[in-house]
Amino acid sequence: DLRLLPFSVTLSYIVPTILMALDYPSTVTTLTHQRLIALWQPFPLWTILVHYTLKTTLSTLSSSSNSTKNNTTSRLQSSPGTTYLKTAKHIYRFTLTICILSHLPILLLSLLPPTLIPSTYPSLHTMSQESPLSVYIPPFPSPSSKISSLAEGVHTFLIWDVYIGSFAFLLWGMLMYRNAVGEKVAWMGLLGKVGVWCVLGGPIGALTVLLWERDGLVMGEKVKKGE
């Protein structure tokens, strides 16, 4: 399951996201763009279906002998911690790569002088005119705040939706990391690490690093104890 997960997420989430982001009406028609948005919406369901299909297909096509399966089972039973870490590290690398590739270019683009991006690239030129504050800090929802359009309101809502959900995960990840390290955890160092990775890959990027290190600490102890 862990080895297949990057492929499942790529097919069911990343590919529909790229299709949904195609420019319209120059690349796709407005109707096609709306259909691609609708296709993207139930991506959790697509992930389950794609993952199940890949797993079932590969299991059916597998020609492994019973002896190979028995040897694999014996190896898994003898060192589950080591096996898990070797497999899970690819998941963490995949997640961290996606976080950095989708976060850092936008940050760098907002830091560049607008004159560096020619107007022949209208989307990039528009984003380069924004500041990091305007990109990453949404308007605070208050009774006195007003929006200029429905699109702006939906955009602001989605930013808050991402922040609330991702920072809740990040707090949970910090708790898991603290529990693994114990009382000797250095809070200033932990907060500094979280801050740096939030800049590089957003809150989910920081969460990925914390859980990766936490798994290494917990599973490393289990391997030493022979569990």
Side-chain angles (χ1 to χ4, degrees):
D1 284 322
L2 288 176
R3 290 171 180 170
L4 285 176
L5 193 57
F7 300 98
S8 303
V9 172
T10 299
L11 293 175
S12 60
Y13 177 73
I14 296 179
V15 171
T17 300
I18 295 175
L19 294 176
M20 181 181 64
L22 293 177
D23 191 34
Y24 70 97
S26 60
T27 304
V28 296
T29 64
T30 302
L31 179 59
T32 301
H33 177 66
Q34 293 172 347
R35 289 174 175 172
L36 292 174
I37 294 176
L39 174 67
W40 176 89
Q41 291 293 329
F43 68 85
L45 176 61
W46 303 148
T47 304
I48 295 173
L49 294 176
V50 169
H51 189 83
Y52 176 79
T53 302
L54 289 177
K55 183 178 180 180
T56 303
T57 302
L58 291 178
S59 298
T60 303
L61 297 177
S62 176
S63 58
S64 299
S65 63
N66 292 331
S67 59
T68 303
K69 292 181 180 179
N70 292 333
N71 291 335
T72 303
T73 303
S74 177
R75 185 170 63 253
L76 291 175
Q77 291 175 349
S78 62
S79 56
T82 303
T83 303
Y84 170 80
L85 289 177
K86 288 182 178 179
T87 308
K89 68 180 181 181
H90 300 295
I91 303 297
Y92 288 124
R93 287 173 180 171
F94 173 77
T95 305
L96 194 58
T97 300
I98 295 300
C99 289
I100 293 176
L101 290 179
S102 60
H103 179 87
L104 193 57
I106 304 301
L107 176 61
L108 296 177
L109 190 62
S110 65
L111 292 173
L112 291 176
T115 54
L116 292 180
I117 308 297
S119 57
T120 51
Y121 303 96
S123 298
L124 296 179
H125 181 73
T126 300
M127 286 189 288
S128 66
Q129 293 178 323
E130 301 289 339
S131 67
L133 293 179
S134 63
V135 171
Y136 292 105
I137 300 181
F140 187 78
S142 64
S144 59
S145 62
K146 296 182 179 180
I147 58 174
S148 59
S149 64
L150 178 61
E152 180 186 354
V154 172
H155 183 224
T156 301
F157 171 81
L158 290 177
I159 293 177
W160 280 108
D161 178 59
V162 169
Y163 279 176
I164 292 173
S166 59
F167 277 107
F169 273 122
L170 181 56
L171 290 176
W172 170 77
M174 293 174 65
L175 176 63
M176 295 295 100
Y177 181 86
R178 193 284 308 267
N179 291 344
V181 175
E183 298 296 332
K184 59 182 180 179
V185 60
W187 284 105
M188 293 303 298
L190 176 59
L191 293 176
K193 180 187 299 185
V194 169
V196 169
W197 281 107
C198 279
V199 172
L200 295 176
I204 299 300
L207 168 67
T208 302
V209 172
L210 292 180
L211 292 182
W212 194 351
E213 293 186 7
R214 179 260 179 192
D215 279 1
L217 292 171
V218 174
M219 291 300 176
E221 288 296 324
K222 289 188 176 182
V223 171
K224 291 179 181 179
K225 297 178 181 178
E227 297 179 3

